[in-house]
Amino acid sequence: MIDTISFVHTRFCPPLGVPNMLPLQGDNKKMEDAKFYLTLPGTKVEMEEKELQASKTPGNFTPNKDSTKDSFQIATLICSTKLTQNVDLLGLLNWRSNPQNIKHNLKKLMEVDGGEIVKFLQDTLDALFNIMMEMSDDEAYDFLVFDALVFIISLIGDIKFQHFNPVLETYIYKHFSATLAYVKLSKVLNFYVANADDSSKTELRFAALKALKYLFRFIIQSRVLYLRFYGQSEDGDEFSNSIRQLFLAFNMLMDRPLEEAVKIKGAALKYLPSIINDVKLVFDPVELSVLFCKFIQSIPDNQLVRQKLNCMTKIVESNLFRQSECRDVLLPLLIDQLSGQLDDNSSKPDHEASSQLLSYLLEVLDRKDVGPTALHVQLIMERLLRRINRTVIGMSRQSPHIGSFIACMIAILRQMDESHYSHYISTFKTRQDIIDFLMETFIMFKDLIGKNVYAKDWMVMNMTQNRVFLRAINQFAEVLTRFFMDQASFELQLWNNYFHLAVAFLTHESLQLETFSQAKRNKIVKKYGDMRKEIGFRIRDMWYNLGPHKIKFIPSMVGPILEVTLTPEVELRKATIPIFFDMMQCEFNFSGNGNFHMFENELITKLDQEVEGGRGDEQYKVLLEKLLLEHCRKHKYLSSSGEVFALLVSSLLENLLDYRTIIMHDESKENRMSCTVNVLNFYKEKKREDIYIRYLYKLRDLHRDCENYTEAAYTLLLHAELLQWSDKPCVPHLLQRDTYYVYTQQELKEKLYQEIISYFDKGKMWEKAIKLSKELAENYESKVFDYEGLGDLLKKRASFYENIIKAMRPQPEYFAVGYYGQGFPSFLRNKIFIYRGKEYERREDFSLRLLTQFPNAEKMASTTPPGEDIKSSPKQHMQCFTVKPVMSLPPSYKDKPVPEQILNYYRANEVQQFRYSRPFRKGEKDPDNEFATMWIERTTYTTAYTFPGILKWFEVKQISTEEISPLENAIETMELTNEKISNCVQQHAWDRSLSVHPLSMLLSGIVDPAVMGGYSNYEKAFFTEKYLQEHPEDQEKIELLKRLIALQMPLLTEGIRIHGEKLTEQLKPLHDRLSSCFRELKEKVEKLYGVITLPPNLTERKQSRTGSMVLPYIMSSTLRRLSITSVTSSVISSSSNSSDNAPSRPGSDGSILEPLLERRASSGARVEDLSLKEDSENRMSKFKRKDWSLSKSQVIAEKASEPDLMSPARKAQRPKSLQLSDNRLTPFHGSSPPQSTPLSPPPLTPKATRTLSSPSLQTDGLMMATVPPPPPPKSKPYESSQRNSTEDSLSTSMEILDLSCLSTKDSSYNEKGRKTPPSTQNKTVKGVPFGRSICSQSLDLSFLMKSYISKVT
């Protein structure tokens, strides 16, 4: 849509043609260019002519022929500076024609529009002053003219007319000619000020004060004109008296109570200083200064403080203060006022106004054209310097006024010469006063140097501050030498403060010239010099001047002197490094021990800190070793020990520089940890326990900052291992910085164990905490007999045991990370590391965290090992994928019913081997069944150390690979699927409050005919004569797979039954379809693979211990081993479809899984004790020889106190915990369970029909009509994970083993480097062998199932 605008042709039109002008429409953007519309017609006649020449008319403009709605208006404005139509203003301008109306016109002038007045400003002012001069007999005109003049000045002062100020100025100095106007104006002004108690004139008085500046310009200009024409006359004293009278009136006004005329007082303070520069032209400046002093003094204390300070600031800004004789009068007053504001007793000092006044005052004194200022600077120094210092010390560094006060202090010190310093020190009455002043100054200077008040890039200000501070420090150093050097007057703290101040100044970042560009460096050196050398040489001289007092500064001054020597300036290093030898010699001579251990330990400690902080270089190492060796070899007693020490320091410095090279520019905590471990290992090899332990604590601190409490505990454990359970005294280096107040190694080890146990507790490593607590308990019980401590320790241990069973404990994931390419540091380059992830950290988050540490690294999309081209590339290539730890159970746990919560610890801890499975295709691709040629490559990584340890990552030292055949993969997949169905059914059988939707999705994904291709794929791939002929060794595996398929039917039967009991009206159509599909599926499977029946007593509640119940965790292998199998000819011949082979025995219609009296608490515990490279035949033979127990884990639930567990009158218990945790969580048991009635299952009678009948399930799994349903479990913090466990509990393994997610039609890889079928992406997986939802947490279930097959066959 085109934006249109109406316009008119601006050429001249005849009067009769004006009504016929045409409004035309056109593109608004093109309107900006005149060439588009100047040729358009302006009238109808011209438009008609243009229509005949349409081709010449611009296409973007379409004239509107008959527009009657469009119109426009033309307005004119005539402005004249000579003619006015305002009657009131015209009457004033023509006042002579109507003299009787003068008063009326003067009053009406204040009602005239301001714009009209400013146009006739000169004529109006002339009229006013003419009236004042010609009508001088009547004083009434003087007041009216004065008021009119004030009105005009106020009008021009308004922001609307402020651009007329030059017009007013021009009038005053070029056109004003009333030589006697000053008499009348001053008289009226005096009257207004003197009669301040007249409230009726308050507004006029306030307006007059606002206009005071221009009123006095009229007065002074009138006086100047008078003197010009008449010379100095007798009325000079009269004029001066009028000025004095005016100030006297102001003084009386200011001395009135604050409540009266406060507005007038504020206006007087604000506007009175504006007359100074004009008045001093015709009035004595010194007397004027006195008048202003009296004016300021007339203001009562603590009244109008801000206004008074601002008034004095304007006085200082005036030309009056630039005259030396005027400063002699004004400066004492100003200093008194500032002293009162900056005094310690001032309740509410106005820092802003005070700093502003002080700044202007010092700025004037710094000028070269204001006469002598030495005495004035001395007066300010004596009265204000220390007050300013204390103000700065007491002021917050975030205060907006701190910069102004520091600038004032710098200005005072800058204007002080040596005589000022000497005089200032002489003003102190006692020696203690000098000490206090120097202490305050040193502390303040050091604080200001350490905390930059001014921006770092404000180089001029920072360098000026440094230059002034350096000069002051050197002056005060002379005071130290003069007053506090001898034995009697030596002040250790004062000297110590001086040295620390000097070192802080030398090491200030603004003086480190090497950090600047060459041009900037040259400019600084040319203007200010290298101040580091100057202060460094002074530090050296002051140190050597100490004489016998040097020993008092060892080892405290070792660190500061080291900072000086590390400054990258060769001359400074050569001058200050010999101080180290002087310290060694001093301690050797005066310590009485004949050694320099204090100096040695301190230097090593500080050197480590400084180098780690980024200071020091290779040149420093060489120079330090050279100078120390030179001095030591010349000494009679230090030649041997000194040389050893020099070489040790050189070796340490070399290692620290290498260490720093890696981490200097890297803020990554992980990299710091790696480098710290490398350095502490070096010290461990060198048997330097002191440095080794120090780095242990650095590593501990890094872990603690990152909340890696487990790793922090393992790190401290290395320290504890250096100690013994004995009464040997602790040497100093064993204590380190975390000094416990202990004396023996036993005490220290006890403290360490307590801290380690605390860290293990925070890291939820309760098993390790229990182990250490047992060792500590033995010490309490058998050695120190601390029974109270033993009791507390046993209580803690009891809580650890309880936490293992009840507390939620996330299992971390492990990630394999490969660093390939020459761009990585040497300790990472072309190596693989296993990382232990943080709690709930997934691979995507972990990868992002790694890429943050290495922003230039390229993430590899594939998980296959890279080639030599990538390893030798100058870039950084990073490979990251999830691996699964291989559980290694203690021998005491094997083949025993260990609870799931205990086993969960060993699934992610005490591990050193990790697996990663990658699918690949072997052989030619089968277009009908891709599954038959899809193999699994399983890689096992072995790390250098066991997880967890002192780091969250360790290098991989060994890699092995094995291949899993498609048949073995199918067996594992079916085992995991059956286990998932079994566990899900058990959950819903026990906990009626669980949502039915996860069960619906699980059943739908298995029994839906749309995905029954899973079984058919197995049949096509493995259940053929061709496959048996080609792979006769797989006969047992094929039979096992068939039985696994048959085992799924009784599990699904129970799932369908429970689904039918819990369904809603909305789910009824779905349930009908599931039932229909399942009947077809079951009929087919039982005909082909036989029928498996599970005994009803499989899941009976078994009494374990007093006060608890043991509920077995049912795995697929257990279900198969205890079930009854019917194998007919249909199992062998897939072509047989006779129904005569249908079994006629109990449960032949499908096994009925009795609902459990308690939900299982975890996804399953499986123990794997076979070697990784053992082939399937060896495993099968082992299965045949091995008798497996019922379960490898149980869930513990409290038992009621009644002894008769199976009494009909007794109500069944609900377990404390009704959750099904995933593979990352340990279940938490909640409150005591509610009660319900358990019924023992009656014996089953044989049935030949395929109807479902299970009294046990109907009375126990469901609630009887006479028994009310149990209340839903209380909400628990982990309930959400329970509800989602059916959907998500098996998803974790997909990140490790993903072959089951492969489609038979698609071979595309997903973002994790695995193949993912389109049918299973982003939707609920339904295929039994191919869906993601059937993946489980472990592959060890196959061992148990194969054990059962071996028994049956």
Side-chain angles (χ1 to χ4, degrees), residues 836-852:
R836 178 183 172 97
K838 298 180 179 180
E839 290 186 358
Y840 305 107
E841 186 176 34
R842 298 299 183 183
R843 185 179 61 85
E844 293 76 11
D845 301 327
F846 175 77
S847 299
L848 184 61
R849 182 156 60 90
L850 282 185
L851 291 175
T852 303

Side-chain angles (χ1 to χ4, degrees), residues 1183-1198:
F1183 295 149
K1184 293 178 180 180
R1185 297 191 303 269
K1186 193 173 185 66
D1187 184 17
W1188 289 88
S1189 63
L1190 175 64
S1191 173
K1192 294 295 181 275
S1193 61
Q1194 291 85 13
V1195 176
I1196 308 301
E1198 291 187 3

Side-chain angles (χ1 to χ4, degrees), residues 612-628:
E612 184 180 5
R615 309 191 66 186
D617 48 42
E618 185 67 24
Q619 291 75 16
Y620 178 78
K621 181 185 79 70
V622 174
L623 186 60
L624 177 66
E625 180 181 354
K626 176 183 176 183
L627 293 179
L628 285 181

Side-chain angles (χ1 to χ4, degrees), residues 476-663:
F476 296 144
E478 295 180 1
V479 177
L480 277 178
T481 306
R482 188 165 70 249
F483 291 99
F484 306 102
M485 175 61 73
D486 56 22
Q487 188 70 29
S489 61
F490 188 79
E491 289 290 336
L492 177 63
Q493 189 60 46
L494 191 59
W495 277 87
N496 194 59
N497 286 357
Y498 166 77
F499 280 122
H500 281 84
L501 168 62
V503 172
F505 178 84
L506 185 146
T507 57
H508 192 258
E509 58 182 349
S510 63
L511 297 180
Q512 310 312 310
L513 301 180
E514 62 279 352
T515 62
F516 304 139
S517 64
Q518 187 62 44
K520 187 174 183 179
R521 189 183 315 168
N522 295 338
K523 187 176 180 180
I524 292 175
V525 172
K526 182 179 180 181
K527 187 173 183 179
Y528 304 101
D530 191 348
M531 288 180 272
R532 296 177 300 175
K533 294 169 62 176
E534 185 176 347
I535 191 66
F537 293 154
R538 177 58 68 102
I539 291 173
R540 177 197 59 186
D541 297 339
M542 295 292 284
W543 171 263
Y544 288 123
N545 289 338
L546 285 174
H549 300 295
K550 295 176 184 177
I551 190 63
K552 300 176 182 177
F553 297 91
I554 300 174
S556 62
M557 279 301 298
V558 174
I561 296 299
L562 177 63
E563 293 183 51
V564 174
T565 61
L566 286 170
T567 303
E569 213 292 320
V570 178
E571 295 184 19
L572 181 60
R573 286 179 172 178
K574 290 181 178 179
T576 53
I577 287 179
I579 296 178
F580 287 148
F581 174 75
D582 192 56
M583 289 181 171
M584 295 167 57
Q585 183 177 245
C586 180
E587 184 181 355
F588 184 84
N589 294 331
F590 293 99
S591 65
N593 299 323
N595 57 51
F596 47 88
H597 288 167
M598 288 193 303
F599 168 77
E600 177 182 356
N601 292 333
E602 188 70 10
L603 181 63
I604 292 176
T605 300
K606 297 299 182 182
L607 188 62
D608 176 82
Q609 296 174 1
E610 293 296 329
V611 175
E612 184 180 5
R615 309 191 66 186
D617 48 42
E618 185 67 24
Q619 291 75 16
Y620 178 78
K621 181 185 79 70
V622 174
L623 186 60
L624 177 66
E625 180 181 354
K626 176 183 176 183
L627 293 179
L628 285 181
L629 287 176
E630 287 180 359
H631 285 80
C632 289
R633 287 168 179 170
K634 295 178 183 179
H635 196 275
K636 181 178 180 180
Y637 301 105
L638 294 179
S639 57
S640 176
S641 59
E643 182 175 352
V644 172
F645 171 73
L647 295 176
L648 173 65
V649 171
S650 178
S651 175
L652 171 64
L653 189 55
E654 181 179 1
N655 286 282
L656 291 176
L657 288 174
D658 293 339
Y659 162 76
R660 188 193 67 190
T661 302
I662 300 173
I663 68 169

